[in-house]
Amino acid sequence: MKQQGAHPEDTEGTPDASSRPDTAKQSGGAHRDVAHIDEVEGDEPLLPARVHRPSDLMRLVGGVLAVVVLLAIAAFAHGTTSGLEQDINKGTGQAPDLLIKIAGLASSIAILLVPVAFAIERLIKRDGLRIADGVLAAVLAHGVTLATDLWVARAAPDSIQDALTQPSPGDIHALTDPVHGYLAPVIAYMTAVGMSRRPRWRAVLWVVLLLDAFSMLVTGYTTPFSIILTVLIGWTVAYGTLYAVGSPNVRPTGRTLMAGLRTVGFRPVTASREEAVDAAEGGDRGRRYFVTLEDGPPLDVTVVDREQQAQGFFYRAWRNLALRGFATRRSLQSLRQALEQEALLAYAAIAAGANAPKLIATSELGPDAVMLVYEHTGGRTLDSLDDEEITDELLRDTWHQVMALQSRRIAHRRLVGDAILVDRSGTVILTDLRGGEIAAGDLLLRMDVSQLLVTLGLRVGAERAVASALSVLGPDAVADCLPMLQPIALSRSTRATLRRLARERAEREREAVLEASRHSRPARAHDADVSRPVVLEKADKKAVRAEQRAEKRAIDEALDEAREEDLLSQIRQEVLRIRPQAPVEPARLERVRPRTLISLIAGAIGAYFLLTQLTHIEFGPLISNAEWGWVAAAVLFSALSYVAAAMALLGFVPERVPFPRTVAAQVAGSFVKIVAPAAVGGVALNTRFLQRAGVRPGLAVASVGASQLFGLGCHILMLLAFGYLTGTEKTPSLSPSRTVIGGLLTVAVLVLVVTSVPFLRKFVVTRVRSLFAGVVPRMLDVLQRPQKLVTGIGGMLLLTACFVMCLDASIRAFGDESTSVSIASVAVVFLAGNALGSAAPTPGGVGAVEATLTVGLIAVGLPKEVAAPAVLLFRLLTLWLPVLPGWLAFNHLTRKAAL
């Protein structure tokens, strides 16, 4: 077998169909008299010694969830646990003493001897790495048991302690161990070394565990929940260890493939490894080989093993969870099921009259791999064809193959460029049917049509792609696929291509706008000294306005010329020309979105932490003793914040925008941020508002970006300044506090990490370059108007001051002089909570802000009896009460075409 050091020509993918048979004849003549020659052409990559199996990760997650459920039952179902223990003790108390002693003695000896015996057996077979994995898992399990014992003894609720321990029979003043320190490591060891996968050793393992559990329960040295927890900890730690360090790789090699082909009646001579498919999608389709035989035509062989099948597991699982009406193939699928599914689809496609690779043999390659043997098809994929080779006849032939599948209700599910093969005669062959589905519904069939439209449109354009589909399928069938023409319904690789094209279009539009802006800028702007801003009153205002209008008109014309429609819109327009009444509203395919799921999780966590702070607070007496004057002051500061927000925005907009309507837009933002994250909803609303107010789209985005950039800078400076003041309040020295030092060190470490990781460095550089391309020119315009700059910065400072004073008034409404904290401390807590709220994915930072503000106020010395209601009042005034006025303002501005 030639695995390394192959010639460059041997590393090619599948050669052309015309060259392969000749190679077979030559190879057959050269090797006809030589028996069992195993030669794998091509640089077959060395397989990694260890792999990280998703199944181990899933078992780890399942074990952790089982431990959490067990502790929850022990904590909240105290009556059930007590009754269960009584029933077990009553049943086991009737066991004969002789049986108890024999079981205890046998289990004590076997639980030590069985692991040693298995280790010796593995060492004899030179499998010492498994023993090392088992020892590592045992050590980690022992550490987890010690930590669990310490937590149960000192910090766990009484109900959990009662469920996991009981008075020791030898000493009534002592308690039994919550987790067995010797049993959990043994279970972790046995699981990590793979004893459970060997029938005989598995039987011995279960006998030992049952005997030990029986003897411990009868003698009163444990509880049922303690035994279950011990088993779960050992099991979970074992699979966590296996996933962290990896499991031994048992993937078959080329030599194994050659031996497997002989078992099904072939006489292979050479095998050439085809180039690997993209791992982002389709990486689970198996390794492909071109095999020549001593006699007969060559073969295409696909080898699928458990590791390749596991690729994309989490992506498929998420698609099955998130999408409604259809799903990908089963996430957890055995090799036997995968083999049967691909064979069934291969036979069904040929029976339907479609051109598909002919499956002629299947076989297992050991316990962890299978192979599928096809007749050699040859040819090149659609992606590898030149543009001039993709003729209209080829497009129609592709649609005829899809129509043949759809006539028998067969969905391909992956009609991308590398799944469409074109042989030397120009015949189209559909490959990669493994992920398809028979007896498919209309939804899947329409998705195939929309996917192929986009695949062909990426190569030949929307007009030719739609025309070829109409000529074969007809207008009605093509029009019915329009609701499926959305990114979520397309393949993963197609979505990535569309995103890349969208970024390129946006870059071209931005370059066109900047170029037009540079050419249309008046000559006086080139001569102006930026360090000495020109006062507007010294120039001719009419001439300046005329120049600005000319510049705006030139940029709008450049933007119109550079604007390009995306491929999906072009396909829709082509179809609507034939069927104007065709449905265009995208079908709702998503059951749950990632943002929604993250919001729910983050909101639940925040609510949990908030409720833990409120459980011990009596709100009745607290509210009755509240200072309503300070409540009114908090309301006033909250209302004033919208005026400050309008100032902060308009300070970075050189164009004239009505101030009252801007204030109304900020009030409308209080409604928008409830249905979207604060950092996203506010930006989108302000950008839309400025565009409706007459500011060009590019400049509107730049103005909001400049406002956000200045706001971020002011936020960081104020946080450092108030943090410094807070650190020096209780000491006469001017040394900075530990919090400030820790924050600076954290920022320094993050900067080092970002600059050292190529992916992160490229991401940051790209974002900074785009920022300076759009925001910085806008800032130069603002710098020429000092009154605008003063308005913007003053509005930001006033906005922060309003929120800080609102939080301080809320604290004073429920506290007194003895519980008050300084303004600097309140400012630090607010700035930290506001930063977290902007980063949190929940709408308005719900949950995250409340928890952060409450914990922060308690940390600076405020009693939790005052901190919790103060935070609730603050959030009520700044988040929840403004929702109704925000909704009214949003509807009003929408009717006025201001949003």
mmCIF file of all heavy atoms in Angstrom, residues 35 88 90 154 267 295 297 323 346 365 426 535 593 606 610 621 652 675 720 739 743 775 806 839 888:
data_model
loop_
_atom_site.group_PDB
_atom_site.id
_atom_site.type_symbol
_atom_site.label_atom_id
_atom_site.label_comp_id
_atom_site.label_asym_id
_atom_site.label_seq_id
_atom_site.Cartn_x
_atom_site.Cartn_y
_atom_site.Cartn_z
ATOM 1 N N ALA A 35 -0.748 -12.460 -7.015
ATOM 2 C CA ALA A 35 -1.927 -12.630 -6.157
ATOM 3 C C ALA A 35 -1.922 -11.597 -5.037
ATOM 4 O O ALA A 35 -0.890 -11.333 -4.427
ATOM 5 C CB ALA A 35 -1.944 -14.041 -5.564
ATOM 6 N N ILE A 88 -37.330 0.090 50.273
ATOM 7 C CA ILE A 88 -36.136 -0.714 49.963
ATOM 8 C C ILE A 88 -35.575 -1.341 51.229
ATOM 9 O O ILE A 88 -35.200 -2.511 51.254
ATOM 10 C CB ILE A 88 -35.090 0.152 49.251
ATOM 11 C CG1 ILE A 88 -35.605 0.540 47.860
ATOM 12 C CG2 ILE A 88 -33.763 -0.580 49.130
ATOM 13 C CD1 ILE A 88 -34.673 1.444 47.098
ATOM 14 N N LYS A 90 -37.192 -2.111 53.900
ATOM 15 C CA LYS A 90 -38.102 -3.157 54.351
ATOM 16 C C LYS A 90 -37.922 -4.432 53.535
ATOM 17 O O LYS A 90 -37.944 -5.549 54.059
ATOM 18 C CB LYS A 90 -39.541 -2.651 54.236
ATOM 19 C CG LYS A 90 -40.577 -3.656 54.725
ATOM 20 C CD LYS A 90 -41.979 -3.075 54.620
ATOM 21 C CE LYS A 90 -43.020 -4.086 55.109
ATOM 22 N NZ LYS A 90 -44.400 -3.547 54.999
ATOM 23 N N ARG A 154 -21.343 20.417 53.564
ATOM 24 C CA ARG A 154 -21.238 21.792 54.040
ATOM 25 C C ARG A 154 -22.227 22.772 53.406
ATOM 26 O O ARG A 154 -22.581 23.770 54.038
ATOM 27 C CB ARG A 154 -19.820 22.316 53.788
ATOM 28 C CG ARG A 154 -18.751 21.547 54.541
ATOM 29 C CD ARG A 154 -17.400 22.214 54.400
ATOM 30 N NE ARG A 154 -16.364 21.527 55.167
ATOM 31 C CZ ARG A 154 -15.096 21.922 55.248
ATOM 32 N NH1 ARG A 154 -14.731 23.030 54.609
ATOM 33 N NH2 ARG A 154 -14.218 21.237 55.949
ATOM 34 N N ARG A 267 -11.677 -8.912 -7.717
ATOM 35 C CA ARG A 267 -10.236 -9.098 -7.651
ATOM 36 C C ARG A 267 -9.558 -7.756 -7.939
ATOM 37 O O ARG A 267 -9.172 -7.459 -9.071
ATOM 38 C CB ARG A 267 -9.787 -10.158 -8.649
ATOM 39 C CG ARG A 267 -10.215 -11.566 -8.245
ATOM 40 C CD ARG A 267 -9.632 -12.607 -9.185
ATOM 41 N NE ARG A 267 -10.223 -12.503 -10.522
ATOM 42 C CZ ARG A 267 -9.824 -13.243 -11.561
ATOM 43 N NH1 ARG A 267 -8.826 -14.095 -11.421
ATOM 44 N NH2 ARG A 267 -10.409 -13.109 -12.731
ATOM 45 N N ASP A 295 -9.927 -8.114 -14.045
ATOM 46 C CA ASP A 295 -10.741 -8.262 -15.240
ATOM 47 C C ASP A 295 -12.047 -7.530 -15.017
ATOM 48 O O ASP A 295 -12.603 -7.527 -13.933
ATOM 49 C CB ASP A 295 -11.000 -9.737 -15.560
ATOM 50 C CG ASP A 295 -11.546 -10.503 -14.363
ATOM 51 O OD1 ASP A 295 -11.670 -9.863 -13.291
ATOM 52 O OD2 ASP A 295 -11.834 -11.700 -14.484
ATOM 53 N N PRO A 297 -14.660 -3.906 -15.848
ATOM 54 C CA PRO A 297 -14.566 -2.445 -15.739
ATOM 55 C C PRO A 297 -14.221 -2.024 -14.314
ATOM 56 O O PRO A 297 -14.433 -2.774 -13.362
ATOM 57 C CB PRO A 297 -15.981 -1.988 -16.129
ATOM 58 C CG PRO A 297 -16.853 -3.148 -15.791
ATOM 59 C CD PRO A 297 -16.044 -4.371 -16.056
ATOM 60 N N LEU A 323 -36.360 23.329 12.395
ATOM 61 C CA LEU A 323 -37.176 23.449 11.199
ATOM 62 C C LEU A 323 -38.486 22.693 11.354
ATOM 63 O O LEU A 323 -38.512 21.598 11.923
ATOM 64 C CB LEU A 323 -36.411 22.934 9.980
ATOM 65 C CG LEU A 323 -35.085 23.641 9.700
ATOM 66 C CD1 LEU A 323 -34.456 23.092 8.436
ATOM 67 C CD2 LEU A 323 -35.267 25.137 9.591
ATOM 68 N N ALA A 346 -30.539 4.284 -4.188
ATOM 69 C CA ALA A 346 -29.869 3.998 -5.463
ATOM 70 C C ALA A 346 -30.759 3.152 -6.366
ATOM 71 O O ALA A 346 -30.921 3.443 -7.566
ATOM 72 C CB ALA A 346 -28.541 3.308 -5.203
ATOM 73 N N LEU A 365 -17.056 -3.623 6.603
ATOM 74 C CA LEU A 365 -15.607 -3.673 6.778
ATOM 75 C C LEU A 365 -15.318 -3.663 8.269
ATOM 76 O O LEU A 365 -14.925 -2.644 8.851
ATOM 77 C CB LEU A 365 -14.930 -2.488 6.088
ATOM 78 C CG LEU A 365 -15.061 -2.417 4.567
ATOM 79 C CD1 LEU A 365 -14.371 -1.172 4.033
ATOM 80 C CD2 LEU A 365 -14.479 -3.662 3.925
ATOM 81 N N GLY A 426 -21.720 13.961 -22.204
ATOM 82 C CA GLY A 426 -22.621 15.046 -21.838
ATOM 83 C C GLY A 426 -23.849 14.607 -21.087
ATOM 84 O O GLY A 426 -24.749 15.425 -20.835
ATOM 85 N N VAL A 535 -15.969 77.728 10.637
ATOM 86 C CA VAL A 535 -17.238 78.159 11.204
ATOM 87 C C VAL A 535 -18.240 78.359 10.066
ATOM 88 O O VAL A 535 -17.930 79.029 9.070
ATOM 89 C CB VAL A 535 -17.066 79.448 12.025
ATOM 90 C CG1 VAL A 535 -18.399 79.885 12.635
ATOM 91 C CG2 VAL A 535 -16.016 79.230 13.108
ATOM 92 N N ARG A 593 -35.835 29.857 16.395
ATOM 93 C CA ARG A 593 -34.617 30.498 15.920
ATOM 94 C C ARG A 593 -33.557 30.459 17.020
ATOM 95 O O ARG A 593 -33.879 30.456 18.215
ATOM 96 C CB ARG A 593 -34.896 31.950 15.532
ATOM 97 C CG ARG A 593 -35.873 32.073 14.365
ATOM 98 C CD ARG A 593 -36.088 33.518 13.990
ATOM 99 N NE ARG A 593 -36.998 33.649 12.863
ATOM 100 C CZ ARG A 593 -37.374 34.814 12.329
ATOM 101 N NH1 ARG A 593 -36.898 35.930 12.829
ATOM 102 N NH2 ARG A 593 -38.203 34.827 11.312
ATOM 103 N N GLY A 606 -31.449 34.638 34.160
ATOM 104 C CA GLY A 606 -31.572 35.916 34.855
ATOM 105 C C GLY A 606 -32.737 35.935 35.830
ATOM 106 O O GLY A 606 -32.621 36.462 36.942
ATOM 107 N N LEU A 610 -32.643 36.536 39.839
ATOM 108 C CA LEU A 610 -33.451 37.618 40.409
ATOM 109 C C LEU A 610 -34.405 37.092 41.467
ATOM 110 O O LEU A 610 -34.568 37.689 42.542
ATOM 111 C CB LEU A 610 -34.211 38.323 39.286
ATOM 112 C CG LEU A 610 -35.072 39.523 39.706
ATOM 113 C CD1 LEU A 610 -34.198 40.612 40.295
ATOM 114 C CD2 LEU A 610 -35.850 40.058 38.511
ATOM 115 N N PRO A 621 -44.377 45.849 53.679
ATOM 116 C CA PRO A 621 -43.858 46.931 54.533
ATOM 117 C C PRO A 621 -42.873 47.830 53.808
ATOM 118 O O PRO A 621 -42.804 49.039 54.075
ATOM 119 C CB PRO A 621 -43.181 46.170 55.678
ATOM 120 C CG PRO A 621 -43.799 44.810 55.666
ATOM 121 C CD PRO A 621 -44.117 44.524 54.235
ATOM 122 N N PHE A 652 -24.458 63.906 15.843
ATOM 123 C CA PHE A 652 -23.602 63.282 14.833
ATOM 124 C C PHE A 652 -24.306 63.217 13.469
ATOM 125 O O PHE A 652 -23.914 62.436 12.615
ATOM 126 C CB PHE A 652 -23.212 61.877 15.286
ATOM 127 C CG PHE A 652 -22.416 61.882 16.558
ATOM 128 C CD1 PHE A 652 -23.048 61.760 17.791
ATOM 129 C CD2 PHE A 652 -21.042 62.033 16.524
ATOM 130 C CE1 PHE A 652 -22.318 61.792 18.968
ATOM 131 C CE2 PHE A 652 -20.305 62.062 17.696
ATOM 132 C CZ PHE A 652 -20.948 61.946 18.919
ATOM 133 N N VAL A 675 -38.616 43.784 21.903
ATOM 134 C CA VAL A 675 -38.740 42.669 20.959
ATOM 135 C C VAL A 675 -37.430 42.366 20.247
ATOM 136 O O VAL A 675 -37.373 41.508 19.369
ATOM 137 C CB VAL A 675 -39.835 42.975 19.911
ATOM 138 C CG1 VAL A 675 -41.178 43.080 20.578
ATOM 139 C CG2 VAL A 675 -39.525 44.266 19.154
ATOM 140 N N LEU A 720 -14.030 53.721 33.892
ATOM 141 C CA LEU A 720 -12.710 53.766 34.519
ATOM 142 C C LEU A 720 -12.626 54.905 35.531
ATOM 143 O O LEU A 720 -12.056 54.747 36.617
ATOM 144 C CB LEU A 720 -11.638 53.920 33.442
ATOM 145 C CG LEU A 720 -11.452 52.741 32.484
ATOM 146 C CD1 LEU A 720 -10.413 53.071 31.418
ATOM 147 C CD2 LEU A 720 -11.022 51.494 33.252
ATOM 148 N N THR A 739 -10.186 46.554 41.417
ATOM 149 C CA THR A 739 -11.139 46.335 40.327
ATOM 150 C C THR A 739 -10.647 46.952 39.026
ATOM 151 O O THR A 739 -10.706 46.350 37.959
ATOM 152 C CB THR A 739 -12.506 46.928 40.702
ATOM 153 O OG1 THR A 739 -12.951 46.345 41.936
ATOM 154 C CG2 THR A 739 -13.526 46.671 39.618
ATOM 155 N N GLY A 743 -9.598 44.988 35.752
ATOM 156 C CA GLY A 743 -10.228 45.269 34.466
ATOM 157 C C GLY A 743 -9.224 45.578 33.372
ATOM 158 O O GLY A 743 -9.349 45.105 32.238
ATOM 159 N N VAL A 775 -17.437 55.560 9.105
ATOM 160 C CA VAL A 775 -17.694 56.414 10.259
ATOM 161 C C VAL A 775 -16.733 57.588 10.318
ATOM 162 O O VAL A 775 -17.131 58.726 10.606
ATOM 163 C CB VAL A 775 -17.624 55.585 11.556
ATOM 164 C CG1 VAL A 775 -17.745 56.481 12.770
ATOM 165 C CG2 VAL A 775 -18.726 54.537 11.568
ATOM 166 N N CYS A 806 -31.488 58.323 38.119
ATOM 167 C CA CYS A 806 -32.718 57.542 38.269
ATOM 168 C C CYS A 806 -32.476 56.346 39.180
ATOM 169 O O CYS A 806 -33.301 56.044 40.056
ATOM 170 C CB CYS A 806 -33.209 57.090 36.903
ATOM 171 S SG CYS A 806 -34.725 56.109 36.924
ATOM 172 N N ALA A 839 -24.708 43.559 25.738
ATOM 173 C CA ALA A 839 -24.132 42.328 25.193
ATOM 174 C C ALA A 839 -25.072 41.144 25.300
ATOM 175 O O ALA A 839 -24.935 40.172 24.555
ATOM 176 C CB ALA A 839 -22.817 42.012 25.911
ATOM 177 N N LEU A 888 -47.173 53.540 21.164
ATOM 178 C CA LEU A 888 -47.944 54.627 20.556
ATOM 179 C C LEU A 888 -47.066 55.494 19.664
ATOM 180 O O LEU A 888 -47.461 55.869 18.550
ATOM 181 C CB LEU A 888 -48.581 55.475 21.660
ATOM 182 C CG LEU A 888 -49.620 54.758 22.541
ATOM 183 C CD1 LEU A 888 -50.073 55.671 23.672
ATOM 184 C CD2 LEU A 888 -50.808 54.299 21.709
#
